[in-house]
Amino acid sequence: MEQVWQEFFSDPSQWWDNRLTKKSPKHPDFKHRGTLESLWVDGWLNPPWVKEKMASMTLGHTKSGDGLRSRVPDSFCNGDKLSKLCEEGRLKEALHMLKLMVQQTTEPPIHSYVCLLKGCSRRKALAEGKQVHALIVQSVLDSNIFLANTLVHMYSKCGSLLHAHKVFSNMPQHNVYSWTAIISAYADSGEVEEAVNLFQKMQETGLAPDKVLFVVVLKACASLAGLEQGRQLHSEIIKRGFQSDVVVGSTLVNMYAKCGCTQDARELFDNMSERNVVSWNAMIVGYAQNGLGKEALALYEQMKQEGMQPNNVTFVLLLKACASLAALEQGKQLHSEIIKKGFQSDLVVCSTLVDMYAKCGCTEDARELFDNMSERNVVSWNAMIVGYVQNGLGKEALALYEQMKQEGMQPNNVTFVLLLKACANLAALEQGKQLHSEIIKRGFQSDVVVGNTLVDMYAKCGCTEDARELFDNMSERDVVSWNAMIAGYAQNGLGKEALALFEQMQGEGTKPDEVTYISVLSACAHSGLVDQGRYVFDSMCKNHGVTPTKKHYACMGDLLGRAGCLADAELFINKMPIQPHSVVWMTLLGAARNHGHVEIGRRAFDHVVKLEPKNAAPYVLLSNIYAAAGMKDELAKVRNEMKEAGVKKVPGCSWIEVDNQLHALL
């Protein structure tokens, strides 16, 4: 105890003084700001010299009637005022007070600096944070490890990773809190690989990570889908005895789920000694993100059976699961529960309800809910707009945007992406151009996603030159940018231009992905570039390590079929290493119709009917083949087969509609 008091008197500013505010003798008089060590002035273990020392910090009586009370130095009182200013967000006033304290040689308590730095973190006030940093350096306190850690945290929250790293690098020593601060800074800035690397460097120093640091690094592994690193961390967590901590356990569940290991996540979840709502949400979102919406909904039923109360996050996750499944009835049940539990006024929950109804095709219900919302933000408007776009109601989406502007709601980049898609679907070039002007006015033209969608919109409206000019002038391009322009050329029958851009893409070092090859093969198919298409398909497999999907095979079948190479197309399909799906055979059937090849048409028809026995389209196509060949008896047989199979032809459905459906699938 003597050593602790010596530490106190060597630097009282490191301790909170609770003598004026404590409500019970059980509460300590002083508490260390870092270690939380407690001290009592009248403690029976105190050395005899403590009271004498304390007398220098205590004055006698105050004004008459006030009674006897302890007084602390002005720095402590000013520190309390400064803390209050920080809590109220009055950072400039607090900063002014701190500067005065430093100028008047009144040594401010460490807590004053910390309060201001935390206030700057909350408000993302980088300029004020830098001024506090300057005062810390001026007061020769920059070597204080507690302050340095807080500085790293402040710079991180204010978005200045460079300054955070500089402070960390200049620290004479680091503790586990220092490493946690810098690793969190990198993780929060999206530099998750470097965050994991820093954790490994910390381990090399011999410092032992705590629970908080494990949580930070597990989240980084989840972002990277770094399963092996996550498993290694799991082993360390078990060795250090943290596996029973509910926060650590919930983060482990989240990590395994984000890495696609839902079974491992569920096993861990089931074996948790303690679970809270965050644990349940981690498992629910794990199922939802891995396309296991039914399992997510089933887990919610178990959650209710075990008496765990859901929160607003739970309902948001479950509604998203219903939306992905188009599970309208379950969504309606959840809506009822949301009302019962009083979450109907929660902005995020309500916006997700709008999204769920729209994704289930109930745009009228979604709109009614949207119109009745007591509060709306840009996410709410976007949810309704995307609902219209996804249901083919582009005009309604554009009309809603006009209402959005009239009500003074500011659109964001997502809003413009959705509206541009609506224009592309409608081939509404004029509205697209108007949106382009607004995008420039609002400063979104440098957003790569908005730029990609603009390229796509112009191309889908037939303006490939405008699309290309926009593409060439983009300040930043990703693989989606290249894909949008290549697809634009493909859709407009400009196969040679698509191939030339494909070559340029590789020359500039952008690696093609699966979507790129679909667009290039489609371009070759629409332009009759058979040899080039064959070469692209072969190089995709052999030189670029891209495994062909069903869509790639369908594109190749379409390429050969359009060019009249029906025998080659049939041979190609029969040699596919994966089971051909109906679209591939429908493509061949359509090509046989176009080129009048009866035998191949019949064989393709047989395959489609096996895979989709209730689909009327193959019957329509084969009927057209027989009718064109003058084979009346065969035509009659097909119609009888259709009746016997119980397949009904959609009224007004012709080979043109079938053709359009086929192209939509490709």
Side-chain angles (χ1 to χ4, degrees):
M1 185 57 67
E2 185 167 352
Q3 185 180 351
V4 179
W5 275 109
Q6 285 173 349
E7 288 178 10
F8 168 80
F9 285 113
S10 67
D11 187 4
S13 65
Q14 294 280 5
W15 298 73
W16 281 300
D17 188 334
N18 304 318
R19 290 176 295 171
L20 296 177
T21 57
K22 60 186 286 185
K23 296 179 181 178
S24 165
K26 292 181 180 180
H27 296 155
D29 294 308
F30 301 101
K31 199 164 192 174
H32 195 277
R33 301 179 190 282
T35 64
L36 303 183
E37 187 88 47
S38 298
L39 289 173
W40 284 262
V41 174
D42 297 321
W44 63 278
L45 289 176
N46 289 349
W49 48 265
V50 168
K51 286 193 176 181
E52 187 179 339
K53 277 263 191 183
M54 287 300 303
S56 64
M57 298 178 66
T58 308
L59 296 180
H61 294 277
T62 56
K63 291 180 183 178
S64 150
D66 284 346
L68 185 66
R69 54 178 279 184
S70 303
R71 269 195 60 195
V72 294
D74 289 342
S75 60
F76 282 94
C77 297
N78 287 334
D80 289 339
K81 291 177 186 175
L82 190 143
S83 298
K84 190 175 181 183
L85 289 172
C86 291
E87 286 172 9
E88 294 171 357
R90 296 156 66 184
L91 298 181
K92 290 186 178 178
E93 293 175 62
L95 183 60
H96 179 68
M97 178 179 283
L98 186 65
K99 285 178 180 177
L100 286 175
M101 291 165 73
V102 173
Q103 288 168 6
Q104 294 169 1
T105 68
T106 305
E107 184 181 333
I110 299 293
H111 180 59
S112 299
Y113 293 104
V114 172
C115 278
L116 244 174
L117 288 172
K118 287 184 176 178
C120 293
S121 298
R122 286 192 296 270
R123 304 267 171 174
K124 301 190 186 304
L126 181 60
E128 287 81 2
K130 284 182 177 180
Q131 291 181 59
V132 179
H133 188 181
L135 289 171
I136 289 168
V137 173
Q138 183 181 331
S139 303
V140 200
L141 291 170
D142 49 325
S143 60
N144 182 290
I145 194 168
F146 184 61
L147 272 180
N149 292 343
T150 314
L151 275 168
V152 172
H153 178 78
M154 181 276 294
Y155 279 124
S156 167
K157 292 300 176 187
C158 291
S160 183
L161 184 59
L162 181 66
H163 285 91
H165 184 83
K166 190 175 180 181
V167 172
F168 178 82
S169 299
N170 290 333
M171 289 172 69
Q173 61 180 7
H174 302 114
N175 59 18
V176 68
Y177 304 110
S178 317
W179 285 99
T180 302
I182 193 63
I183 290 168
S184 298
Y186 273 94
D188 292 343
S189 300
E191 301 283 344
V192 284
E193 287 186 35
E194 185 58 28
V196 174
N197 291 337
L198 282 168
F199 176 73
Q200 291 168 349
K201 286 179 183 177
M202 188 210 79
Q203 288 180 301
E204 290 168 6
T205 68
L207 274 173
D210 61 4
K211 291 185 285 189
V212 176
L213 185 50
F214 273 122
V215 167
V216 171
V217 183
L218 280 170
K219 287 180 179 178
C221 289
S223 300
L224 286 170
L227 181 60
E228 286 310 309
Q229 292 161 317
R231 288 192 192 279
Q232 289 171 17
L233 286 171
H234 191 177
S235 297
E236 285 193 53
I237 285 165
I238 293 169
K239 285 177 187 175
R240 298 186 185 278
F242 295 140
Q243 72 274 18
S244 59
D245 182 89
V246 67
V247 178
V248 174
S250 302
T251 314
L252 274 167
V253 169
N254 176 66
M255 183 275 295
Y256 278 113
K258 286 229 171 106
C259 291
C261 300
T262 50
Q263 289 185 340
D264 292 334
R266 183 57 189 265
E267 185 180 352
L268 190 65
F269 173 82
D270 288 338
N271 291 325
M272 286 177 72
S273 56
E274 180 190 355
R275 292 193 293 246
N276 59 15
V277 68
V278 177
S279 318
W280 288 90
N281 288 349
M283 195 62 243
I284 289 170
V285 74
Y287 278 139
Q289 288 175 343
N290 284 280
L292 301 169
K294 289 181 181 178
E295 287 79 354
L297 293 168
L299 186 62
Y300 174 59
E301 292 303 315
Q302 181 184 335
M303 181 182 182
K304 289 191 290 184
Q305 288 168 10
E306 294 191 17
M308 179 60 66
Q309 291 300 312
N311 61 11
N312 57 341
V313 176
T314 315
F315 284 116
V316 167
L317 298 172
L318 293 166
L319 288 169
K320 286 182 178 179
C322 290
S324 65
L325 293 168
L328 180 59
E329 288 309 310
Q330 290 97 320
K332 285 183 175 180
Q333 289 170 19
L334 286 170
H335 191 175
S336 298
E337 289 189 50
I338 285 164
I339 294 169
K340 285 178 186 174
K341 293 186 181 292
F343 289 117
Q344 72 273 19
S345 59
D346 184 287
L347 186 56
V348 180
V349 172
C350 213
S351 299
T352 316
L353 270 167
V354 170
D355 180 68
M356 182 276 295
Y357 277 113
K359 283 208 169 92
C360 290
C362 301
T363 51
E364 289 183 7
D365 292 332
R367 183 58 188 265
E368 183 180 354
L369 190 64
F370 173 82
D371 288 338
N372 290 325
M373 285 176 72
S374 57
E375 180 189 358
R376 292 193 291 247
N377 62 8
V378 69
V379 177
S380 319
W381 288 90
N382 288 349
M384 194 62 244
I385 289 170
V386 75
Y388 279 139
V389 174
Q390 289 174 341
N391 285 281
L393 300 170
K395 289 181 180 178
E396 287 79 352
L398 293 168
L400 186 61
Y401 175 58
E402 292 303 316
Q403 181 185 334
M404 181 182 182
K405 287 191 290 184
Q406 287 169 9
E407 293 190 18
M409 179 59 64
Q410 296 299 312
N412 62 9
N413 56 342
V414 176
T415 316
F416 284 115
V417 166
L418 298 172
L419 294 167
L420 288 169
K421 286 183 178 179
C423 291
N425 295 339
L426 293 167
L429 181 60
E430 287 309 310
Q431 290 98 318
K433 284 183 175 180
Q434 289 170 18
L435 287 170
H436 191 177
S437 297
E438 288 190 52
I439 285 164
I440 293 169
K441 285 178 186 174
R442 294 180 185 275
F444 289 121
Q445 70 273 19
S446 60
D447 184 290
V448 68
V449 180
V450 173
N452 295 343
T453 318
L454 273 167
V455 169
D456 179 68
M457 184 275 295
Y458 277 113
K460 282 195 174 137
C461 291
C463 302
T464 52
E465 289 184 6
D466 291 333
R468 182 57 188 264
E469 183 181 354
L470 191 65
F471 173 83
D472 288 337
N473 290 325
M474 287 177 73
S475 56
E476 180 189 353
R477 290 195 292 247
D478 58 12
V479 68
V480 179
S481 317
W482 293 91
N483 290 349
M485 194 63 243
I486 291 169
Y489 280 138
Q491 289 156 2
N492 286 278
L494 301 170
K496 289 181 180 178
E497 288 82 351
L499 284 170
L501 189 60
F502 178 59
E503 291 297 322
Q504 182 184 334
M505 174 186 186
Q506 295 174 87
E508 292 189 17
T510 302
K511 188 178 178 181
D513 62 7
E514 291 180 4
V515 178
T516 315
Y517 285 105
I518 290 171
S519 297
V520 174
L521 290 170
S522 177
C524 292
H526 283 82
S527 301
L529 303 172
V530 178
D531 292 338
Q532 292 91 328
R534 287 183 193 269
Y535 174 78
V536 168
F537 185 85
D538 291 339
S539 67
M540 173 182 78
C541 310
K542 294 174 184 175
N543 303 332
H544 298 285
V546 177
T547 304
T549 64
K550 290 179 179 180
K551 285 190 176 181
H552 294 107
Y553 285 111
C555 285
M556 273 304 294
D558 186 44
L559 168 69
L560 296 168
R562 280 175 182 268
C565 307
L566 298 183
D568 288 347
E570 186 176 25
L571 182 63
F572 175 82
I573 295 169
N574 284 324
K575 286 186 175 180
M576 280 174 59
I578 56 176
Q579 183 68 33
H581 62 330
S582 59
V583 174
V584 177
W585 290 113
M586 278 287 287
T587 303
L588 184 60
L589 180 55
R593 189 276 319 277
N594 291 337
H595 294 280
H597 203 299
V598 176
E599 292 178 7
I600 289 178
R602 179 69 207 199
R603 289 196 292 270
F605 167 83
D606 290 338
H607 284 290
V608 177
V609 170
K610 282 180 184 176
L611 294 166
E612 293 187 33
K614 297 298 181 183
N615 187 354
Y619 291 95
V620 174
L621 288 172
L622 188 61
S623 296
N624 278 308
I625 292 172
Y626 286 144
M631 301 171 69
K632 295 181 180 179
D633 293 341
E634 296 300 324
L635 179 59
K637 285 181 183 178
V638 171
R639 288 176 177 169
N640 286 331
E641 286 177 29
M642 192 173 179
K643 286 180 183 178
E644 289 172 4
V647 179
K648 293 183 179 180
K649 181 175 175 286
V650 179
C653 179
S654 68
W655 65 267
I656 296 173
E657 281 78 20
V658 173
D659 228 22
N660 290 335
Q661 291 170 24
L662 192 58
H663 290 149
L665 290 169
L666 290 171

